[in-house]
Structures are given as structure tokens and as C-alpha cells.
Amino acid sequence: MRIHSSNHPWFLLAILVVLLSFSGALSSTHKEKTTSKNPKKEVTYDGTSLIINGKRELLYSGSIHYPRSTPDMWPKVIKRAKQGGLNTIQTYVFWNIHEPVQGKFNFSGRADLVKFIKLIEKNGMYVTLRPGPFIQAEWNHGGLPYWLREVPGIFFRTDNKPFKEHTERYVKVILDKMKQEKLFASQGGPIILGQIENEYSAVERAYNEDGVNYIKWAAKLVDSMNLGIPWVMCKQNNAPDPMINACNGRHCGDTFPGPNKKNKPSLWTENWTTQFRVFGDPPAHRSVEDIAYSVARFFSKNGSHVNYYMYHGGTNFGRTSAHYVTTRYYDDAPLDEFGLEREPKYGHLKLLHNTLNLCKKALLWGHSRTEKPGKDTEIRYYEQPGTKVCAAFLANNNTEAAETIKFKGKEYVIPPRSISILPDCKTVVYSTAEVISQHTSRNYVKSKKANKKFDFKVFTETVPSELKGESFIPVELYGLTEDVTDYGWYTTNFKTDDNDLKKKGGKTTLRIASLGHALHVWLNGEYLGNGHGSHEEKSFVFQKQVSLKEGENHLTMLGVLTGFPDSGSYLEHRYTGPRSVSILGLSSGPLDLTEKNKWGNKVGMEGEKLGIHAEKGLKKVKWQKFSAKAPGLTWYQTRFDAPESKSSVAIRMNGMGKGLIWVNGEGVGRYWMSFLSPLKNPTQVEYHIPRSFLKPKKNLLVIFEEEPNVKPELIDFVIINRDTVCSYIGENYTPSVRHWTKKNDKVQAITDDVFLTANLKCSGTKKIAAVEFASFGNPNGTCGNFTLGSCNAPASKQVIEKYCLGKSECDIPVNKSTFQQDKKDSCPKVVKMLAVQVKCGRTKKNKESGI
């Protein structure tokens, strides 16, 4: 019903009161917004990007997992990530560290998720939170707590009532905690994006319709909480609305089919910076040129968010790694295991982020166009109609030869398999293939302070010959250990008589088929040896000729885990441990011990139960002085002083076999020196000991060693640095994007004269103490291993010393006039490369202060 206000004066008065009240409310709201420390941020999206407070954003994100480093490391690692050009940190939430015992939550120490997120916020960065429930991540059991396996009737990650009930309870605990701490962007916090589930498409088919229903349920669960942020599902092209389907992989610019709705942005949740390592692997490396190419291509094809998995991998402390996964995690990331900048990966990507920021307006508001001038070449560019805003990506997919591309009347030479970026469609400021960032080589310096003669003491476990048990088959190892230890004992007895042993010319063989991971075997008290599987081939057969005695024989096996599995369907029904045991070569025929004998069991080591890895339990056993040799299953303990300086510390496990390390009761991780790679070397030698684990003097080192006759005297402590700094630049490379800025939609040079330079910079307060190699010509090798080629400017080293010696940072012009001072070129047809290697060091004052 329409009311005519002219006939009702009281109505006008009421309107006036309402307007005055509304005006006051607006004033109050405005005041609140301008004085609030953390104004609320609305996060929405469209087909171009995420929109934060009405503003489109290009997001450069890096995965850093809080339990894989220590709280004292977090500030430096986060700060370096920001300095590397990132504006977002992505992390999983690890269910099994937060709720290791059902109903008892832990958010302290390395599990202090709130502290970690607030540090990110303090650095002015955003957060992507991935609460699981399943995370994979090469983490024990994919992040799922062991007790979940014991829930009656449970099936993981499917339309299963028990699993959904526990998942909902857990997810709500985590997200409610974030809400209570006001960490969501809608509350003024840094969390702008969430992810539920993880790469579910890899297992969805195994669950048929229940899988489809589960993923819909998971989406509804987080959407119904109304947290004010968008949610993604990675590697889930059928992600139900309003979930955004996102890409994981190395080349999402080519493999991602795109968002499943036009109103969703193209997001890349995992760009794998290297390959994670498992014991038995050779070294793994992904070049920064390849990573930069993949990122440039993704952004050139409407991408607006990339996350580097990992940006800092860190350490799988204690027993947290998944089966066979090394203690060191993603060490080849831009920030290495110790949080140090791995160059040139760190620097080359930083320059890429700077370059993409120069293209930001064109990428977020321009119209895209594509041209194919040749079979292997492609031009993608963005223009904003009616303006001079333009950015171009010139791609050469020829892996062997450079290609010339003509664009807007100008010719550009593009190196093999690379993308050149032109933020104004005219000026090349970055090439993915031309690395002008410095290189570094990691050094392990033996500590003088920590490596005094070690006084090792030992305690050896007793090998049981007969344990209680009623099982007629060896008990499954995951269920036996319940994830409280890596070790489970099995014993059985069997009889042989004189007739069994009289087979002429026959050889009696013990054969054990195991589903993994490793196994030690004793017969009648004699150690027969060990066997193990691998990450790819978990099952293995232990087989050895044996001598049986007439009467009762005692067989003892020690099943060994290297972590729980972290991937695949029906994870709750995955089994491991010895499955078939038989004696071959008897006169009476094969003797099957698997299902006819009673098996006794015992969980873990006596030393574990007594806690002898820490000070409190140390005196609960009688330690003996170590003298040259010890059997397997021996505990070793000694004391050492903290290494000098404030640099990162590691222990080198040379001389050892396989086991676990503790320092002052803190679990350093699993080591496995005897599992050699195809290159005949251990996959990992150095094991990170965070400084927060150490005290100045008399630190307790405890090692549990599985194998006999190891040599602990070969162990040593090392200090880690990246003081070997190099440059390797071609004279025809594109000058650094550092020389350029954008003003009034125009790319402008910051300096009057833009030219190519090699930049060398020492970390902290260190200065360039020596020039170890310099050559302008055609040198060979890599940082730490350069050699002269057939062409070299004689003055190369002298020039570098003039520009750099005694300085913390220097810039060297890369051109002929700098190095060929006599204007003679002994190899005019060679395109010159500059290779430089310098050593950084501390001044006497800084050495004394330990800076």
C-alpha cells in the first residue's frame, strides 16, 4: 500500500529521525573502519581472479608447513618468502599432530598453528588454509590420526557415516579456532582462501557413487560454515559449486582444462618445485628455468594465482614422514631445508614476480589475444581498450634453437623453450631462460667446538626368543604398532626331527615374504640379516640358507616401519609386515609356519618404553662403554657442545646403518645410510638439528641403531652456510627487471643507462673475502665447480676483485669493454659468458660476536 507523506506530517518526522540515526550509524561505521587495526576484508571472485576488498589480486604463494620447521625458524622463513616476492603462504593442517589421541587436541610448539598464521599476518601476507582432513603431503598416514583406523565400520574419504562424523568434528574444531582468533579475512585476518579435501579425483572412482556423494558433502560442510572466504578443491575438475576447481602439477598452463564455470578464476594450488625424495633415490632437481617458464605460461593463459609446493620444505622430524620418505623434505625448494635461499631458484622467481607485477593491470583488466606466428612460437598479449595498457608473453617451444618473433613491428629473439615478458608490449624485461640471479653452493663446515672426541656409551636390546601370543598368523604390523613405534616383534617355535634333516645334498632355506617395510631375522639366537622393500616395491622376500637343529627351533623376526602410507584409496585397509614364513628343503617337504604355528608379539623396544632417548629415562638402563663393535639394536649416547656461530647445524651419519636420532630428547628423524641409491651413495647424509634443540654445552645425543658393527666414531657435526656465491651470465642476456618500473601505464627505466650486470651479495653482515674463480669467455661447470674453457679474458679475476673484494654486495657490468681492457678479443665469434665464484666471510669483529 502506497502512503502519501504530504498527508501525514508525523511520517516526515519519523523519516527525519531514521535518517539522523542512519547518518550516525554510517559515521560510526566509518570511524570503526578507519581506526580498526585489521579492517574486515571481503573476498570474492570472478573468472579473472580473486577479489579482495573490491580489488583484483595476482597471488604468488608458497607452501610452508609449520610442523616441518621450528617456531624460532618461522619468522626468518616467512620474511624470506616475502622478500622473494610472495604475498601468500599456503599450509596444510595436520590432523594427527593436533589430535594424536582422540578428543585431546594439541596446539603447542611446532603445532602452534595460530602463532604461525599470526606471524604471516605480521608480515603483511595472506594465508591459504588446507585443513584436510586428508593431506597426503608425504606425511605419516596422510595426516590422518592412527586411532581413526580403529573406529568400528570406518572407511576413509567416502560416504561413510563414522568418517564423516569425525571429519566434521575435527574440521569444525580447526575452523572455529581460526574464527575465535579472528584470522579469516572476513574478520580482518589473513586467511583469504581455504581448501577442503586433497586431490580426491585420484581415488574417487574406487568409491563409485559414494565418492561423488562424499565430495559434495565435504563442499557443503565448509560452505555451510559461512566463513566469508572462497574454497577450492585441487585436482578436482568436477568440484561442486561454489568450490573452485584448482590445478596441481608442473605445467598447469598446459595440463589444466580450466575452471568448470566461467565465473571461477584459474588457480594453481601446487607447482612442484622439485621431486620429494625417498630412501634409495638419487638426487632430484627441477631447474628454475622450467619453473619460471611454467608460471609465465600459466599467467599468460588467464592464471592469477600460483603456489609453489614447496617454497620451504623443511624437515620431517621424529617419525612424521610417510613410508620410505626421507627426513629432509623438498630441499631443492627456493628456501632449502635450513631456510637458506637456494640460488638461483629463489632469485630468478623473485624477478619473475616483479615482472608479473609490472603486467598486473593488463592481466587483470585487459582483453587477451593469441597469435601463432610459427610452429613452435606463440604470442599471448593483453590490452585494455582505449588505453596504453598492454603486456605480452612471447613463447618459443622449440627446445633446441632460438626463434625470432615479430610483434607490433619489432623483432625479438627468444631463447629455446622460454618465454620473454614485455610489460608494455615493447620492452623485454625478463626471460625465463636467462638466469641473471646469483647462484650459491651449500657448504658443510666441520664444527671445531662440537667435534671433540666422543665418549660413546651403549645399551643393547635383548632379542626375545619366545613371546606370548595366540595368533596363528603374524599380526599385521600397522595394527600391532599403532603408530607409537616403528618396531614390532614376532616369535614362533617349530620342531624338526632327524628325518627332516637327512635330505641328501639338500639345502635348508628360510623364506619370508613381507609386505614391507624392513625386517630383521634371528634363528636360534643367531642373527641372519635383514631385508627391505622400497617406495615403489614395498613387498620383498628374505631368503637365506640355514642350519636347523633337531628338536625345537626358535625363530624371531623384527618388523620395521618407515612410516605409514600417505596416498591411495582404502587407506584404512592397507597392510604391511611379514605375511608368509616357510622352511624349504626338508626331507618331509616345505614347512609352512604362517598358519600352523602360534605367533607371539611384542610392541617396540625396551629403550623406547623407558624413554632412554631423553635425560629423564637415561639412567633406567645400564650403559656400557663402547669398544669398537656392537651388535644391532643398540642404543648409543654421548655428549657434545653446541657448534660455534649462529648458523644452521646438522649431524652427518657417516659410518651408521639405519635408525633414529634424538638430541636432548627431541626427535631429529629417521636415518638410513645403508640404503644406497643407484649412484651407490646414501640418499641423505646430513640431518638437521635446529638451534632450538640445543643448549650451549653438554647436549645429549642418543641414536638407536638397527644394524650391527657400525662406526659411530665417524659421525660429525657440521655448520651450514651458503657462503660460496656465483654468477653465470651471458653477455646477450636481458638486463634485470630491477632497472624498470611502471609509471602512468608506461614501463620506464629507473636509471638513465640500462645495462646488464652480475649482482653478487653475501648474506647477513658477511663480505666478499676472496674471488675463487672468474672467467669472461666460455667457462664450463657450475657454482662450486667452474673450470676455464678455450676462451678467457686474462683480466677477469682482476676486474672482479676491483668491483667486489671487501664489499657485502657488488654489481659487475657484463660486457666486453669491462673485461677486454686491451680491446683484444681472442675469440670474437664466441658469445661470452661470465662465470664468477666468490667466498663470503665475516670480519674479525663479527666472528667474535657470532653474527
Side-chain angles (χ1 to χ4, degrees):
M1 183 176 106
R2 182 175 295 172
I3 297 176
H4 298 283
S5 60
S6 58
N7 298 328
H8 300 278
W10 57 267
F11 186 78
L12 290 173
L13 181 62
I15 290 291
L16 181 61
V17 171
V18 170
L19 286 172
L20 286 170
S21 300
F22 186 63
S23 173
L26 282 175
S27 175
S28 172
T29 302
H30 177 71
K31 185 177 180 181
E32 182 181 324
K33 282 185 177 179
T34 55
T35 58
S36 173
K37 185 179 178 181
N38 294 312
K40 296 177 181 179
K41 297 184 277 288
E42 181 187 31
V43 185
T44 59
Y45 59 82
D46 62 13
T48 299
S49 71
L50 291 184
I51 302 169
I52 304 172
N53 267 1
K55 184 181 177 183
R56 298 188 188 282
E57 291 285 359
L58 294 180
L59 297 172
Y60 318 112
S61 173
S63 288
I64 299 173
H65 296 159
Y66 53 100
R68 282 176 158 143
S69 52
T70 55
D72 69 308
M73 292 174 65
W74 293 345
K76 283 185 179 179
V77 170
I78 293 167
K79 184 179 179 182
R80 285 172 178 160
K82 184 175 183 180
Q83 290 171 340
L86 301 192
N87 53 20
T88 308
I89 299 296
Q90 181 200 85
T91 186
Y92 283 121
V93 183
F94 298 71
W95 189 351
N96 55 8
I97 68 161
H98 290 301
E99 195 184 9
V101 177
Q102 186 175 353
K104 295 182 180 180
F105 280 86
N106 170 40
F107 291 97
S108 61
R110 292 198 301 274
D112 196 341
L113 175 61
V114 170
K115 180 178 180 178
F116 181 71
I117 292 176
K118 286 185 175 180
L119 282 170
I120 297 169
E121 181 180 32
K122 187 178 178 181
N123 279 270
M125 302 174 79
Y126 299 126
V127 173
T128 297
L129 195 69
R130 311 170 90 186
F134 170 81
I135 62 172
Q136 189 168 340
E138 293 72 59
W139 186 264
N140 195 44
H141 213 210
L144 300 173
Y146 174 81
W147 58 260
L148 206 60
R149 292 171 68 102
E150 302 294 340
V151 173
I154 199 164
F155 287 86
F156 295 169
R157 305 178 73 201
T158 185
D159 191 12
N160 171 265
K161 186 179 179 182
F163 183 72
K164 291 194 298 183
E165 285 177 349
H166 285 287
T167 292
E168 181 171 356
R169 178 186 56 81
Y170 156 72
V171 168
K172 284 185 174 178
V173 166
I174 298 299
L175 299 182
D176 283 347
K177 191 171 187 66
M178 301 299 101
K179 193 173 181 179
Q180 289 165 12
E181 297 287 342
K182 299 190 186 309
L183 294 176
F184 289 107
S186 55
Q187 302 171 291
I191 301 173
I192 59 166
L193 193 64
Q195 178 187 301
I196 189 68
E197 254 298 331
N198 191 70
E199 297 187 342
Y200 191 73
S201 63
V203 299
E204 186 174 334
R205 284 187 179 184
Y207 300 108
N208 300 314
E209 194 63 29
D210 284 345
V212 175
N213 292 336
Y214 168 69
I215 214 69
K216 289 178 180 177
W217 171 85
K220 188 177 179 181
L221 170 65
V222 290
D223 188 48
S224 67
M225 294 183 72
N226 298 314
L227 297 169
I229 60 168
W231 286 83
V232 303
M233 286 184 168
C234 66
K235 271 183 128 174
Q236 192 68 36
N237 293 331
N238 64 344
D241 291 337
M243 303 293 109
I244 303 168
N245 61 301
C247 185
N248 286 4
R250 292 191 176 210
H251 293 283
C252 284
D254 294 305
T255 61
F256 185 42
N260 59 22
K261 290 287 177 65
K262 289 184 178 179
N263 67 327
K264 298 178 183 180
S266 288
L267 309 181
W268 192 350
T269 37
E270 291 187 18
N271 183 353
W272 304 321
T273 55
T274 187
Q275 175 64 39
F276 71 88
R277 307 275 298 286
V278 295
F279 287 112
D281 271 354
H285 176 69
R286 185 184 178 195
S287 74
V288 69
E289 295 92 332
D290 186 56
I291 299 172
Y293 175 91
S294 71
V295 175
R297 185 150 180 81
F298 186 70
F299 276 78
S300 76
K301 298 177 76 172
N302 205 40
S304 58
H305 166 285
V306 65
N307 176 74
Y308 300 103
Y309 189 98
M310 300 289 295
Y311 197 77
H312 164 63
T315 307
N316 292 315
F317 295 111
R319 298 173 45 257
T320 58
S321 60
H323 55 182
Y324 296 99
V325 174
T326 56
T327 299
R328 173 178 289 164
Y329 189 62
Y330 268 82
D331 182 47
D332 194 41
L335 296 177
D336 69 13
E337 179 186 14
F338 309 98
L340 303 176
E341 296 157 11
R342 179 178 286 280
E343 299 282 18
K345 193 167 280 188
Y346 177 87
H348 194 50
L349 294 177
K350 176 180 180 177
L351 296 180
L352 173 60
H353 305 146
N354 293 346
T355 303
L356 291 172
N357 284 336
L358 293 178
C359 305
K360 187 173 182 179
K361 199 168 183 179
L363 290 172
L364 294 176
W365 286 276
H367 293 174
S368 64
R369 293 178 174 82
T370 304
E371 297 177 10
K372 282 282 293 179
K375 179 173 68 78
D376 295 316
T377 55
E378 184 179 69
I379 301 167
R380 290 182 176 270
Y381 62 106
Y382 291 76
E383 288 183 310
Q384 193 173 12
T387 72
K388 293 183 179 179
V389 173
C390 186
F393 298 76
L394 311 186
N396 174 16
N397 294 315
N398 186 328
T399 58
E400 297 179 354
E403 297 278 356
T404 299
I405 294 178
K406 190 172 184 178
F407 176 61
K408 290 187 177 290
K410 189 177 177 181
E411 289 188 342
Y412 300 87
V413 178
I414 313 300
R417 199 179 179 276
S418 71
I419 295 175
S420 292
I421 304 177
L422 295 66
D424 58 356
C425 288
K426 298 176 183 177
T427 312
V428 175
V429 303
Y430 184 89
S431 168
T432 61
E434 296 175 352
V435 178
I436 60 171
S437 300
Q438 70 178 24
H439 300 232
T440 58
S441 179
R442 187 165 61 196
N443 303 305
Y444 297 98
V445 181
K446 192 168 181 177
S447 169
K448 295 177 182 177
K449 196 173 178 183
N451 289 307
K452 294 173 183 176
K453 189 176 181 181
F454 301 125
D455 181 23
F456 277 106
K457 296 176 182 178
V458 295
F459 166 73
T460 301
E461 294 278 341
T462 300
V463 177
S465 61
E466 190 169 358
L467 297 167
K468 292 181 180 179
E470 297 297 324
S471 174
F472 281 91
I473 59 171
V475 176
E476 192 278 317
L477 190 54
Y478 291 136
L480 177 63
T481 62
E482 296 184 348
D483 199 25
V484 297
T485 176
D486 283 350
Y487 304 105
W489 289 100
Y490 302 83
T491 65
T492 193
N493 299 333
F494 62 95
K495 291 183 177 180
T496 53
D497 58 29
D498 187 49
N499 292 327
D500 290 321
L501 306 177
K502 282 184 175 179
K503 188 173 182 180
K504 291 183 179 180
K507 295 179 179 179
T508 308
T509 301
L510 171 65
R511 188 180 190 276
I512 304 170
S514 177
L515 297 178
H517 301 161
L519 190 72
H520 295 268
V521 184
W522 294 259
L523 181 63
N524 296 324
E526 179 189 355
Y527 181 59
L528 301 183
N530 63 77
H532 62 80
S534 68
H535 189 260
E536 286 73 31
E537 296 291 336
K538 296 165 186 66
S539 300
F540 65 93
V541 173
F542 175 89
Q543 191 162 301
K544 189 159 186 178
Q545 291 181 23
V546 293
S547 296
L548 301 177
K549 62 183 182 179
E550 187 177 347
E552 193 165 66
N553 293 271
H554 301 276
L555 175 65
T556 301
M557 303 184 297
L558 178 65
V560 182
L561 295 176
T562 59
F564 275 53
D566 68 325
S567 61
S569 56
Y570 298 100
L571 205 57
E572 73 290 337
H573 286 88
R574 209 72 61 79
Y575 303 120
T576 194
R579 306 310 293 162
S580 172
V581 184
S582 57
I583 304 291
L584 308 177
L586 298 175
S587 298
S588 54
L591 175 61
D592 183 5
L593 303 179
T594 311
E595 297 183 4
K596 294 181 180 179
N597 283 46
K598 277 191 177 182
W599 288 88
N601 298 107
K602 180 184 172 185
V603 178
M605 296 291 143
E606 195 64 27
E608 289 179 296
K609 294 175 183 176
L610 297 174
I612 67 173
H613 64 279
E615 293 284 359
K616 286 183 179 179
L618 205 59
K619 294 179 180 179
K620 292 181 180 180
V621 299
K622 189 175 181 180
W623 296 85
Q624 304 290 332
K625 186 175 178 62
F626 173 66
S627 56
K629 285 186 178 183
L633 307 187
T634 292
W635 297 80
Y636 297 78
Q637 63 117 326
T638 191
R639 302 278 177 174
F640 68 98
D641 292 342
E644 58 275 20
S645 87
K646 295 180 181 179
S647 300
S648 298
V649 176
I651 181 171
R652 289 194 293 206
M653 298 301 289
N654 291 314
M656 303 303 284
K658 179 182 182 298
L660 294 155
I661 310 165
W662 293 266
V663 170
N664 294 327
E666 296 281 356
V668 171
R670 298 182 179 101
Y671 68 91
W672 201 346
M673 298 290 288
S674 59
F675 193 168
L676 303 182
S677 77
L679 301 177
K680 304 302 180 185
N681 296 315
T683 301
Q684 181 178 346
V685 174
E686 307 86 11
Y687 292 80
H688 180 206
I689 303 174
R691 282 281 177 179
S692 60
F693 285 13
L694 299 173
K695 54 187 181 181
K697 291 184 177 296
K698 296 184 178 179
N699 294 279
L700 174 64
L701 170 67
V702 176
I703 300 166
F704 177 66
E705 171 60 59
E706 297 175 25
E707 300 179 6
N709 303 324
V710 295
K711 298 180 179 179
E713 66 273 15
L714 298 181
I715 290 170
D716 63 4
F717 294 92
V718 290
I719 302 165
I720 294 92
N721 67 53
R722 286 189 174 272
D723 289 345
T724 301
V725 179
C726 305
S727 186
Y728 189 68
I729 296 179
E731 63 176 332
N732 57 348
Y733 281 13
T734 302
S736 173
V737 67
R738 294 185 303 139
H739 296 294
W740 303 95
T741 187
K742 205 160 192 179
K743 192 173 182 180
N744 298 325
D745 298 330
K746 290 183 179 179
V747 173
Q748 296 180 348
I750 295 173
T751 56
D752 293 334
D753 188 15
V754 175
F755 55 90
L756 179 64
T757 59
N759 176 262
L760 300 174
K761 185 178 181 180
C762 296
S763 63
T765 58
K766 295 176 185 178
K767 295 183 178 181
I768 296 171
V771 178
E772 297 179 327
F773 182 89
S775 174
F776 184 74
N778 60 353
N780 304 305
T782 57
C783 189
N785 192 32
F786 285 126
T787 58
L788 291 174
S790 59
C791 172
N792 175 56
S796 297
K797 188 172 182 180
Q798 182 184 346
V799 169
I800 303 302
E801 288 176 339
K802 176 185 173 184
Y803 275 95
C804 300
L805 215 52
K807 298 177 181 178
S808 59
E809 183 177 6
C810 62
D811 287 290
I812 309 133
V814 183
N815 53 54
K816 290 183 175 67
S817 60
T818 302
F819 292 93
Q820 295 170 353
Q821 297 172 349
D822 56 2
K823 297 184 180 179
K824 292 181 180 179
D825 188 347
S826 59
C827 39
K829 293 183 180 180
V830 174
V831 177
K832 308 298 188 295
M833 298 291 296
L834 172 65
V836 179
Q837 179 174 312
V838 301
K839 192 74 173 178
C840 295
R842 293 186 175 93
T843 62
K844 185 177 180 181
K845 182 180 177 182
N846 287 339
K847 280 182 180 178
E848 290 170 355
S849 64
I851 296 173

